[in-house]
Amino acid sequence: DAMVIQNPRYQVTQFGKPVTLSCSQTLNHNVMYWYQQKSSQAPKLLFHYYDKDFNNEADTPDNFQSRRPNTSFCFLDIRSPGLGDAAMYLCATSRDLGYEQFFGPGTRLTVL
Amino acid sequence: QKEVEQDPGPLSVPEGAIVSLNCTYSNSAFQYFMWYRQYSRKGPELLMYTYSSGNKEDGRFTAQVDKSSKYISLFIRDSQPSDSATYLCAMKPSGGYQKVTFGIGTKLQVIP
């Protein structure tokens, strides 16, 4: 089945220690998104890639970076995680801009 | 005022009941309306996707949009314990790429 895969499902890191979360998709979609979702809150868009074109949300902290080496993979790098960065990180894809988004299962990040 | 308002619940109903989930919004530019289901510790799953006003039915689920009142609803008929999840409404304007705005989700529990 075509799908969005996120690894790892659970990630524990220490305060200030860089961490990378991974997303891959077999849908061959052009657009990939990263969202942050804290407990009982709406998903918050961090950035998206349209093909290789990176689009950052204005309020996304510089601490968050992303890479998309090819169509299938996208990475979220948190350079110096703080306690406030503990959250579920959701990757989503869509066929093109403005189309329905399909989400992966998420990576739950814990910062100690 | 938030762009999208959604009662977080929790909402508890007996198995077989009709469930009504609702969102209100303030941005009259919203044209596309979605409902996602999110099981605990999983990513959101798209349930319904509608454009502009009207009703859309898919099995036990009916999505309703009233743009004049800026009010959307999701009805679940013959609710099952497996429907227990958080339901997020989401919406966006039309025209090229537009960011999706999510509600915080309503937690539903269907009791056997």
Side-chain angles (χ1 to χ4, degrees):
Chain A
D1 287 342
M3 54 177 36
V4 182
I5 302 160
Q6 290 189 244
N7 286 304
R9 294 293 314 280
Y10 301 91
Q11 176 73 57
V12 181
T13 191
Q14 291 180 330
F15 182 95
K17 185 174 180 180
V19 66
T20 295
L21 309 182
S22 168
C23 178
S24 63
Q25 53 127 344
T26 60
L27 297 159
N28 203 32
H29 283 175
N30 286 326
V31 192
M32 296 185 78
Y33 309 80
W34 280 105
Y35 287 86
Q36 179 192 64
Q37 187 181 26
K38 296 187 177 180
S39 181
S40 301
Q41 294 187 21
K44 177 181 179 298
L45 182 64
L46 296 174
F47 24 61
H48 75 274
Y49 271 96
Y50 177 62
D51 197 12
K52 295 182 180 180
D53 184 22
F54 177 71
N55 297 273
N56 200 31
E57 291 298 305
D59 57 353
T60 299
D62 292 340
N63 197 27
F64 292 87
Q65 303 286 321
S66 186
R67 297 170 281 135
R68 190 179 186 186
N70 54 53
T71 301
S72 300
F73 283 87
C74 196
F75 300 98
L76 170 62
D77 300 307
I78 308 176
R79 294 195 291 191
S80 181
L83 297 179
D85 297 327
M88 173 81 92
Y89 289 88
L90 297 164
C91 174
T93 73
S94 65
R95 179 160 49 116
D96 207 327
L97 295 173
Y99 283 76
E100 302 97 297
Q101 295 183 22
F102 296 88
F103 285 82
T107 295
R108 181 165 294 278
L109 177 68
T110 300
V111 182
L112 301 177
Chain B
Q1 182 189 8
K2 290 182 181 178
E3 277 193 296
V4 178
E5 298 277 1
Q6 187 175 13
D7 186 335
L11 177 63
S12 291
V13 301
E15 182 176 354
I18 296 174
V19 176
S20 173
L21 304 166
N22 312 294
C23 288
T24 59
Y25 62 95
S26 57
N27 187 346
S28 58
F30 288 144
Q31 294 282 351
Y32 291 91
F33 303 91
M34 293 146 277
W35 285 95
Y36 285 85
R37 177 175 62 196
Q38 187 173 23
Y39 290 113
S40 181
R41 299 182 181 273
K42 298 285 180 66
E45 169 195 10
L46 182 66
L47 278 177
M48 303 285 280
Y49 188 96
T50 55
Y51 173 72
S52 196
S53 283
N55 294 358
K56 184 175 182 180
E57 188 173 321
D58 184 1
R60 295 185 296 113
F61 299 89
T62 300
Q64 204 169 73
V65 175
D66 181 350
K67 290 188 66 184
S68 62
S69 303
K70 297 190 179 67
Y71 188 88
I72 70 170
S73 301
L74 177 71
F75 297 97
I76 308 174
R77 290 184 298 281
D78 188 25
S79 56
Q80 302 296 309
S82 59
D83 295 328
S84 299
T86 296
Y87 290 80
L88 297 112
C89 63
M91 47 199 82
K92 70 182 184 75
S94 63
Y97 171 69
Q98 299 283 351
K99 187 170 71 172
V100 174
T101 301
F102 287 85
I104 63 171
T106 299
K107 187 169 184 178
L108 172 68
Q109 185 177 16
V110 181
I111 301 167

